[in-house]
Amino acid sequence: MNIIITGLITGSMLALLAIGFSLIFGVARIVNIAHTAFYMVAGYIIYYLSIRLGLNVILSMLIAVVAVTLLGLLAYKFLIDPIREHELAVMIATIALALIFQEVTLQIFTGDYLSVYFLIKGYFIIGGNKVFYQQLLTFGVVLVILLVIWFLLMKTRLGLAIRSTAEDREVANLMGMNESRLAMITLGISVALAGVTGAVIVPLAVLSPYMWTEPLILMMAVVVLGGLGSIKGSFVAAYILGFTEALVTFLIPAGAFLKGPVALSIMILVLLIRPEGLFGIAFEEER
Amino acid sequence: MGLLGFYFRKLITLIKGEVLVLPSRTIVGLFVLFLLIMPLITQDPYIIRIMIITSIFAILAASWDLLSGFTGQMNFGHALFFGVGAYASALLNLHAHIPPWGSVPLGAVVAILAGLIVGIPCLRIKHIYLALTTFAFPIILIGIINALPDYTGGDLGLSGLQRFTNSLVGGYYIHIITMLVLCFVMWKITDSNTGIIFHAIREDELAVKASGINTTRYKLLAFCLSGFFAGIAGGLYAHYMRIAGPSTLEVSMSFNVVIWAIFGGIATIYGPIAAVFILNPLLEFVRFWPEYRMLIFAVVVLLILLYMPEGLITWVREKIEIQCPRCKIRNVAIRKNCRVCTAELD
Amino acid sequence: MAVPLLEVEGLSKSFGGLKAVNDIRFRMKQKEVIGLIGPNGAGKTTLLRLFTSILKPDSGSIRFKGKELVGMKTWDVVNLGVSCTFQNMRPFRRLPIIANVMVSCLSPRSMKHGEWVKRVEAKAMDALEFAGISDMALEKASTLSQGDLKRLEVARAVATDPELLLLDEPFGGLSPAETDLMAKSIRRLHKGGRFGRLHSEGPAMIIVEHKLQQLMKIVDRIIVLNFGTMLAEGTPEEVVNNPEVIEAYLGGGGGE
Amino acid sequence: MLLEIDHLNVRYEKAVLINDLSMGVDTGELVSLVGPNGAGKSTSLRAITGLVAWEREIKRRSTAGEIHIEGKVTFDGQRIDHVPAHEIVRMGLVLCPERRRPFREMTVLENLMAGAYLQKDKKKNQDTLSKVYDLFPVLKERSKQISGTLSGGEQQMLAIGRAFMSDPKLLCIDEPSTGLAPKTRAEVFEKILQINRLGITILLVEQEVSTVFKMTKRNYVLSSGKIIAQGTGEELMEDEIIRKTYLGL
């Protein structure tokens, strides 16, 4: 039972992060290493507003998401956009950005582990395992957000434009889609997703300025495993890796440190069979 | 005596004709000279220590450039080779009691094996997939290391390694000279025919295949060479710090390597080396402000990239030197005419 | 009868339902020069890519001097003596031109043929000389014009000492004067002989081209492709006067 | 003139792709631009629809390869040579690109709706959509299918339909017949004629001249980036010019 709950929660978190990451990669070819750093920043903003300032938790979550999105857009406008055609430089710039976030939070909040209260307290017991209502709530919120994202991408005009641009920048231009403005909007959505992930996961996690590296690796594994740019792929792969982690923790309780490596090994094994990921599109030699 | 004088004069001519004509070469020459005579200026153990570690990292950054900068196989898990080299030479030193001058090269050989193991699956994966996948390898190795604490020391790592020498200055020269030699070898490799093929693979792999070159072999060669040099760096690091721990495999280590290389300018070898010698001491010397060290590092990297996305050293070189439009020989930027063919420079 | 240089049987390849190459069969003799023509999308380039194992055929066999090429790696095919150029030109843009050709000179086949040549640069230089762009040897490939890139492609292919040379639109995008030069080079190459350190025994060639006037002066035989199948085959005169060919080339029923 | 091109030049570094091109298209016309491979047909379409300038904008940031574009392009009385590509579409100049390029992972309907991106009026969209479905009944049958799985001919119709959804005044179609079987080709050309009869001006780039010349009143022949001849199909055919540029005889 615990496996299912942890698996679901880790999986959902990874799915949210991975979808955001592959969205901006698809539309603008930006590999945003700082993606999970935004997630961390959101967590800290919530902590600051709700614990230090005593604001309502839900309100602080909303503020955090908005603030992180703004931060992302500013970073894009001034740091990423000027060097966008140098893919490597962009990648390094995002690493530097993540380091800056890490150091600034370290300065403000020190390296101590911090946590935020549960929104709702209490738990019920199934088969001898505690299931916290908070866990259920988190999972529920994640599902709702995934649905909203799916709806946004599949059913709206904006989503259509985003998907078109991701597939063929030039033809999207021919359809009257302003490619550079879409990149900006997509970045906003992507960072907002990272912020939301931070918001929903923060009551269950402990905050530390270094908390962005572990999910970063797993998120990238999810993106690669699912196939770059495939939302369905990210979704499936996120749960595969989420459950793998939970299963490893359950089967070898002493070997919790193995959960990451096992998940990554699975990714590499899959890639050996399908180099383009589970749902990715194979590179075909151009005609 | 006359013979000695002859060679001395020849050396002078060589320096005049080949080194002093170009600012970049002059700078490199002066820098090497500075490294060699530095202990005469100061013997502050702290400074010596920083220079040793910096030179070890310089080997590491150059080895990344050899693989990723030249062949375009973006490796974001370069810490793997570093860590494998460190652990392998540590194990050899501790259990087989092989002295450092034996365990470091042997450790590097193990790192070559790591290069093969990683390189073979990476042959099928391309571009961004490769970059994102290579992240995973060092993490997996950390898992293995933690799973076998009896052999690897787990979280604490292997400590109590022998040093090359306990003499401060002796240790300095061993590391600096190794660095200079290895970097020169790497530069020579990239300057050779093999280097041309590496370059070409990055530009267009299919066209290289169609030229009759076995690209698989060359890509694996790049992985192995890079693994070898990074492995030596790892071994040197482990023996110098007297400990081989999981920190050699961390994500931040892989990140650092990439930052150094791209900051300096990829596919140059000298770029990453220079970047390490700029960034690493900078990071250390800001000790009067320790809590902002990393922050300053990140901000510097970000600002430099914003204005010089091709890398700092590449940018500087473009500024101080100019290529002759006719014979392609490089000249000082202030010259009006090419120093060889006297064509007008603009 | 001697083993033919190239023997193609039942070669087919499709891309997602579209049959790009459909049941091609032909033979070619030593030193023969074949022109391959047909409208856009007829499968000419695909056919060349099948010969060099860049693409894998769905079925059929390609035998070069009795050796099966299907399933071989591209570099092995090249080292057997089959060399190709790319229609849309794929130079190593950030490398000097001479380095572009040196890559070919470093292939095992080229190294074997030039044992007495210690320096690959020298051989590469001769290949450039042959193609007529040696004066630009040190320029970056990205600065070349369309025509010079074509010549670079030829130099690169020639530097592997091929016995069968596959040229994909060698005149494409060239001005009339450049076309003449290129045609001259190709004829010279086919005659064979020494070009400095470059030794040519006069390779057989398959040339894909749209400029028929030039093509007809070079080739012994023309194969016409349409929708992946062979529409006609014969001497240049036969093919040009074949009404079916005119129709395929100029489109349904036109041309009169 | 609906579209007027005045002394257009396009250079990619040293390579001259378009050399002093001047031509015009009148409202309601069906005009063709023909020429052999590499003559610069596609480049000229990309230049007038703003794609060359867009590409230049991207390349400028990466310092790789310079693109020069000069000349005057007027559409519907307004100069468009400095208008960004996505704005040109809004003015009614729409390009149906070479090699069709559908959004392969999206369904047919989604592709069509992507074409209608700028049309915010839902009702009008439905009207255009039903027009497209009338023109291409096969698209209606396949509307839920992923477009990457369509056949070549169907993809071509989808590409034309998608461009039609952008509500063009002038529709540029780049090589619609490439890689299609004769029967499908004829069908595609028939559809293009039908669209023209609906009152939409068409600039058609093609290689297959004989069919095209039967459809058009006016044609331009392009070779090495230059207009070398213009006139009716019959004139051109007699002129031996086509035989020369195409067959080189």
Side-chain angles (χ1 to χ4, degrees):
Chain A
M1 194 58 211
N2 243 329
I3 304 176
I4 297 177
I5 292 287
T6 356
L8 278 180
I9 295 212
T10 323
S12 319
M13 180 189 92
L14 288 177
L16 274 184
L17 285 174
I19 288 171
F21 181 82
S22 44
L23 262 184
I24 189 60
F25 176 79
V27 171
R29 306 277 130 186
I30 294 173
V31 178
N32 184 10
I33 306 279
H35 193 69
T36 49
F38 283 108
Y39 143 91
M40 171 195 76
V41 170
Y44 270 98
I45 295 179
I46 294 166
Y47 168 82
Y48 184 76
L49 294 177
S50 66
I51 307 280
R52 298 267 173 96
L53 297 185
L55 247 64
N56 177 312
V57 180
I58 304 228
L59 183 65
S60 24
M61 284 180 179
L62 288 178
I63 297 176
V65 173
V66 173
V68 164
T69 312
L70 282 178
L71 191 61
L73 289 176
L74 283 178
Y76 174 77
K77 188 82 203 148
F78 293 107
L79 302 175
I80 310 295
D81 197 40
I83 51 172
R84 227 185 93 190
E85 294 307 314
H86 299 264
E87 285 186 26
L88 283 175
V90 166
M91 224 191 270
I92 301 309
T94 57
I95 296 180
L97 200 60
L99 285 177
I100 291 176
F101 288 156
Q102 169 191 313
E103 290 303 310
V104 170
T105 37
L106 196 61
Q107 291 312 313
I108 303 175
F109 298 97
T110 74
D112 297 342
Y113 291 118
L114 304 168
S115 53
V116 176
Y117 312 125
F118 280 12
L119 279 181
I120 42 171
K121 297 200 174 56
Y123 55 86
F124 60 94
I125 293 179
I126 292 181
N129 283 306
K130 274 188 200 171
V131 177
F132 291 96
Y133 289 125
Q134 177 66 44
Q135 288 177 323
L136 284 184
L137 181 72
T138 302
F139 181 61
V141 171
V142 169
L143 271 192
V144 169
I145 292 167
L146 284 176
L147 276 177
V148 168
I149 284 297
W150 180 85
F151 181 82
L152 178 79
L153 284 177
M154 295 299 170
K155 298 289 169 198
T156 64
R157 202 165 146 266
L158 177 66
L160 191 67
I162 290 179
R163 284 189 295 147
S164 309
T165 316
E167 255 195 62
D168 194 329
R169 271 212 289 190
E170 196 173 283
V171 178
N173 231 325
L174 285 178
M175 308 282 99
M177 298 160 184
N178 184 345
E179 174 256 345
S180 65
R181 215 185 67 208
L182 275 171
M184 189 97 180
I185 295 173
T186 313
L187 188 106
I189 295 176
S190 159
V191 172
L193 272 179
V196 168
T197 322
V200 295
I201 224 72
V202 84
L204 298 174
V206 276
L207 293 175
S208 108
Y210 303 103
M211 67 189 275
W212 59 281
T213 42
E214 203 199 321
L216 174 71
I217 302 287
L218 281 171
M219 173 192 78
M220 292 198 278
V222 165
V223 170
V224 174
L225 180 58
L228 264 178
S230 163
I231 292 192
K232 190 168 69 174
S234 292
F235 192 76
V236 174
Y239 285 104
I240 292 178
L241 293 192
F243 277 106
T244 313
E245 281 212 328
L247 206 64
V248 171
T249 326
F250 175 74
L251 291 177
I252 350 174
F257 55 82
L258 275 180
K259 61 184 186 180
V262 170
L264 294 174
S265 309
I266 288 181
M267 169 195 81
I268 288 172
L269 286 180
V270 172
L271 277 186
L272 281 181
I273 303 160
R274 271 185 72 88
E276 68 277 7
L278 288 174
F279 293 92
I281 292 162
F283 292 99
E284 201 176 319
E285 204 49 70
E286 54 151 331
R287 265 196 271 168
Chain B
M1 213 46 216
L3 200 65
L4 210 65
F6 171 73
Y7 276 118
F8 184 70
R9 276 197 302 277
K10 204 174 166 190
L11 185 72
I12 297 282
T13 341
L14 192 76
I15 289 178
K16 249 192 197 162
E18 294 294 324
V19 179
L20 294 180
V21 289
L22 275 185
S24 61
R25 289 188 196 159
T26 315
I27 291 170
V28 171
L30 286 178
F31 181 66
V32 171
L33 201 67
F34 165 75
L35 285 182
L36 291 177
I37 63 167
M38 208 198 71
L40 300 178
I41 304 164
T42 172
Q43 296 207 353
D44 183 345
Y46 182 70
I47 294 178
I48 296 277
R49 184 190 146 88
I50 290 172
M51 291 312 283
I52 290 178
I53 293 179
T54 307
S55 60
I56 292 174
F57 285 156
I59 302 175
L60 186 62
S63 74
W64 185 87
D65 198 28
L66 186 62
L67 172 64
S68 304
F70 277 84
T71 65
Q73 309 290 306
M74 281 303 146
N75 183 358
F76 273 64
H78 205 64
L80 176 78
F81 302 140
F82 191 66
V84 167
Y87 268 97
S89 57
L91 286 171
L92 288 166
N93 186 244
L94 286 179
H95 295 296
H97 304 292
I98 299 175
W101 54 263
S103 66
V104 171
L106 285 175
V109 172
V110 180
I112 294 183
L113 284 181
L116 271 180
I117 293 171
V118 174
I120 289 171
C122 286
L123 287 176
R124 294 196 57 187
I125 310 171
K126 288 206 171 79
H127 311 301
I128 193 73
Y129 272 81
L130 183 71
L132 297 186
T133 311
T134 43
F135 264 110
F137 291 106
I139 313 278
I140 293 174
L141 189 62
I142 289 186
I144 296 172
I145 281 166
N146 280 329
L148 305 167
D150 296 346
Y151 301 97
T152 60
D155 250 351
L156 299 173
L158 297 161
S159 56
L161 273 66
Q162 249 180 304
R163 273 194 178 167
F164 274 93
T165 163
N166 284 324
S167 136
L168 189 70
V169 177
Y172 175 80
Y173 277 113
I174 289 178
H175 287 97
I176 289 291
I177 291 174
T178 317
M179 187 273 290
L180 290 176
V181 169
L182 290 184
C183 291
F184 183 71
V185 170
M186 277 188 259
W187 182 74
K188 266 295 174 200
I189 291 175
T190 57
D191 204 33
S192 70
N193 291 339
T194 313
I196 289 181
I197 293 177
F198 284 171
H199 255 306
I201 287 177
R202 183 195 60 211
E203 296 288 309
D204 191 335
E205 201 183 324
L206 181 66
V208 180
K209 283 183 187 172
S211 301
I213 303 287
N214 186 337
T215 49
T216 304
R217 195 178 293 159
Y218 276 94
K219 273 157 78 179
L220 282 182
L221 178 69
F223 268 101
C224 291
L225 280 175
S226 177
F228 174 76
F229 290 111
I232 287 190
L236 290 175
Y237 186 77
H239 282 284
Y240 182 72
M241 304 299 276
R242 307 191 65 196
I243 182 166
S247 68
T248 53
L249 287 165
E250 270 174 359
V251 183
S252 58
M253 182 59 90
S254 302
F255 275 164
N256 275 341
V257 178
V258 185
I259 291 179
W260 289 325
I262 292 173
F263 180 85
I266 59 165
T268 55
I269 296 291
Y270 53 80
I273 297 171
V276 176
F277 272 98
I278 293 168
L279 289 177
N280 211 41
L282 176 89
L283 202 57
E284 291 293 340
F285 287 127
V286 212
R287 63 182 153 168
F288 52 85
W289 223 19
E291 59 268 40
Y292 295 112
R293 257 174 39 175
M294 281 306 282
L295 193 59
I296 291 172
F297 173 73
V299 169
V300 167
V301 169
L302 206 54
L303 286 182
I304 294 279
L305 281 180
L306 203 52
Y307 293 100
M308 307 157 198
E310 303 270 16
L312 174 67
I313 307 302
T314 319
W315 184 84
V316 168
R317 198 168 176 211
E318 287 302 312
K319 287 282 163 208
I320 58 172
E321 285 181 7
I322 185 168
Q323 203 178 37
C324 166
R326 198 199 302 172
C327 64
K328 305 294 161 194
I329 294 233
R330 298 192 82 87
N331 286 281
V332 193
I334 48 171
R335 281 187 79 109
K336 288 263 181 323
N337 295 87
C338 172
R339 67 192 157 94
V340 176
C341 68
T342 66
E344 227 170 272
L345 305 170
D346 42 28
Chain C
M1 192 187 134
V3 183
L5 184 72
L6 189 75
E7 197 175 7
V8 182
E9 261 171 43
L11 200 63
S12 297
K13 170 81 187 172
S14 49
F15 294 105
L18 179 76
K19 282 212 162 132
V21 167
N22 191 7
D23 197 25
I24 297 288
R25 52 187 74 229
F26 69 93
R27 284 171 175 217
M28 104 187 253
K29 294 191 298 258
Q30 298 273 344
K31 297 201 174 199
E32 195 177 4
V33 182
I34 290 185
L36 196 58
I37 64 170
N40 269 3
K44 303 172 306 255
T45 297
T46 311
L47 193 59
L48 292 200
R49 292 193 159 207
L50 290 173
F51 289 161
T52 43
S53 272
I54 291 170
L55 293 171
K56 273 202 189 75
D58 300 335
S59 62
S61 85
I62 308 161
R63 276 190 295 279
F64 177 70
K65 296 201 289 184
K67 267 204 180 127
E68 180 62 58
L69 295 187
V70 174
M72 261 195 198
K73 298 281 187 198
T74 300
W75 55 78
D76 289 332
V77 174
V78 176
N79 286 318
L80 272 179
V82 183
S83 189
C84 68
T85 68
F86 293 99
Q87 180 192 359
N88 42 2
M89 295 167 290
R90 308 180 66 145
F92 310 123
R93 289 188 184 278
R94 275 176 287 182
L95 292 188
I97 293 176
I98 178 116
N100 271 267
V101 184
M102 277 167 71
V103 173
S104 296
C105 294
L106 287 166
S107 68
R109 180 183 173 88
S110 188
M111 297 286 265
K112 195 174 71 198
H113 280 230
E115 274 156 307
W116 51 283
V117 186
K118 278 280 169 282
R119 292 168 62 87
V120 278
E121 282 105 321
K123 188 171 181 183
M125 210 52 204
D126 289 331
L128 289 179
E129 182 83 56
F130 164 76
I133 43 173
S134 57
D135 50 329
M136 285 179 276
L138 295 170
E139 302 275 353
K140 289 254 165 75
S142 59
T143 61
L144 286 194
S145 71
Q146 207 77 349
D148 292 336
L149 280 178
K150 277 283 175 206
R151 288 190 246 181
L152 174 59
E153 285 276 331
V154 172
R156 221 158 58 165
V158 167
T160 62
D161 300 330
E163 267 178 79
L164 172 60
L165 185 59
L166 312 171
L167 297 170
D168 201 343
E169 296 203 17
F171 308 142
L174 297 194
S175 69
E178 286 175 321
T179 308
D180 282 343
L181 268 177
M182 178 68 85
K184 213 179 269 171
S185 300
I186 292 174
R187 270 199 299 270
R188 205 150 62 97
L189 180 71
H190 184 244
K191 220 183 276 164
R194 266 188 197 292
F195 309 106
R197 287 159 196 81
L198 198 69
H199 183 70
S200 162
E201 290 178 14
M205 298 189 210
I206 298 181
I207 306 175
V208 169
E209 194 41 72
H210 284 287
K211 293 186 180 166
L212 287 195
Q213 195 180 20
Q214 292 291 346
L215 187 69
M216 281 170 54
K217 290 185 198 155
I218 305 174
V219 299
D220 306 322
R221 188 151 65 107
I222 284 185
I223 292 175
V224 188
L225 283 189
N226 202 12
F227 304 113
T229 53
M230 275 166 70
L231 187 73
E233 189 185 349
T235 64
E237 288 74 32
E238 282 169 21
V239 164
V240 166
N241 295 322
N242 183 335
E244 260 187 282
V245 174
I246 294 176
E247 180 178 327
Y249 226 70
L250 285 177
E256 59 280 315
Chain D
M1 284 272 165
L2 182 62
L3 174 75
E4 220 173 334
I5 306 171
D6 205 12
H7 299 291
L8 182 70
N9 281 288
V10 178
R11 271 180 300 143
Y12 278 59
E13 289 204 10
K14 285 179 192 164
V16 180
L17 296 188
I18 303 293
N19 187 359
D20 212 18
L21 176 104
S22 298
M23 60 182 278
V25 181
D26 244 335
T27 313
E29 263 189 318
L30 171 58
V31 175
S32 85
L33 181 62
V34 298
N37 267 2
K41 298 175 306 244
S42 295
T43 312
S44 36
L45 286 194
R46 289 169 55 86
I48 57 175
T49 49
L51 281 184
V52 172
W54 175 73
E55 198 180 330
R56 179 183 61 185
E57 203 49 46
I58 286 180
K59 289 252 175 86
R60 180 177 288 159
R61 278 187 280 180
S62 75
T63 67
E66 263 182 68
I67 303 173
H68 299 270
I69 170 167
E70 291 151 22
K72 200 171 130 191
V73 184
T74 335
F75 179 71
D76 213 3
Q78 278 170 285
R79 274 192 76 157
I80 55 167
D81 40 304
H82 287 289
V83 180
H86 55 92
E87 291 291 332
I88 290 179
V89 183
R90 198 184 294 276
M91 298 163 75
L93 174 55
V94 179
L95 170 64
C96 171
E98 199 183 356
R99 285 183 290 127
R100 328 194 240 282
R101 290 164 79 169
F103 300 119
R104 308 183 75 88
E105 283 173 70
M106 307 190 336
T107 65
V108 169
L109 182 61
E110 282 171 337
N111 264 282
L112 293 175
M113 292 322 282
Y117 178 71
L118 289 176
Q119 260 55 53
K120 286 181 183 148
D121 184 352
K122 275 207 174 138
K123 194 157 170 292
K124 201 177 158 215
N125 258 343
Q126 284 306 323
D127 285 354
T128 332
L129 187 64
S130 56
K131 262 191 217 162
V132 171
Y133 280 162
D134 283 347
L135 270 170
F136 307 107
V138 63
L139 294 184
K140 190 172 188 180
E141 284 165 36
R142 305 271 161 113
S143 67
K144 290 278 182 288
Q145 199 172 328
I146 301 293
S147 62
T149 61
L150 295 179
S151 74
E154 287 161 351
Q155 284 188 8
Q156 184 58 58
M157 300 196 194
L158 174 60
I160 296 176
R162 184 178 60 181
F164 189 87
M165 290 295 288
S166 305
D167 193 18
K169 281 182 202 150
L170 171 61
L171 180 59
C172 305
I173 308 180
D174 199 351
E175 305 228 359
S177 75
T178 308
L180 299 184
K183 220 181 118 199
T184 331
R185 277 185 191 195
E187 204 179 332
V188 168
F189 282 129
E190 180 55 39
K191 301 292 181 191
I192 293 174
L193 265 181
Q194 279 183 32
I195 292 177
N196 185 229
R197 282 191 210 111
L198 287 175
I200 292 167
T201 318
I202 290 181
L203 175 57
L204 182 63
V205 158
E206 251 308 329
Q207 290 224 355
E208 207 209 321
V209 283
S210 56
T211 322
V212 173
F213 285 175
K214 282 176 195 152
M215 295 159 57
T216 55
K217 295 241 160 50
R218 231 150 53 75
N219 307 280
Y220 290 93
V221 183
L222 197 65
S223 176
S224 303
K226 264 191 178 144
I227 299 276
I228 52 166
Q230 59 168 309
T232 67
E234 279 159 16
E235 284 166 17
L236 290 173
M237 276 297 196
E238 279 165 18
D239 212 10
E240 284 287 307
I241 258 183
I242 293 304
R243 283 188 92 90
K244 261 214 169 96
T245 45
Y246 276 88
L247 287 172
L249 295 175

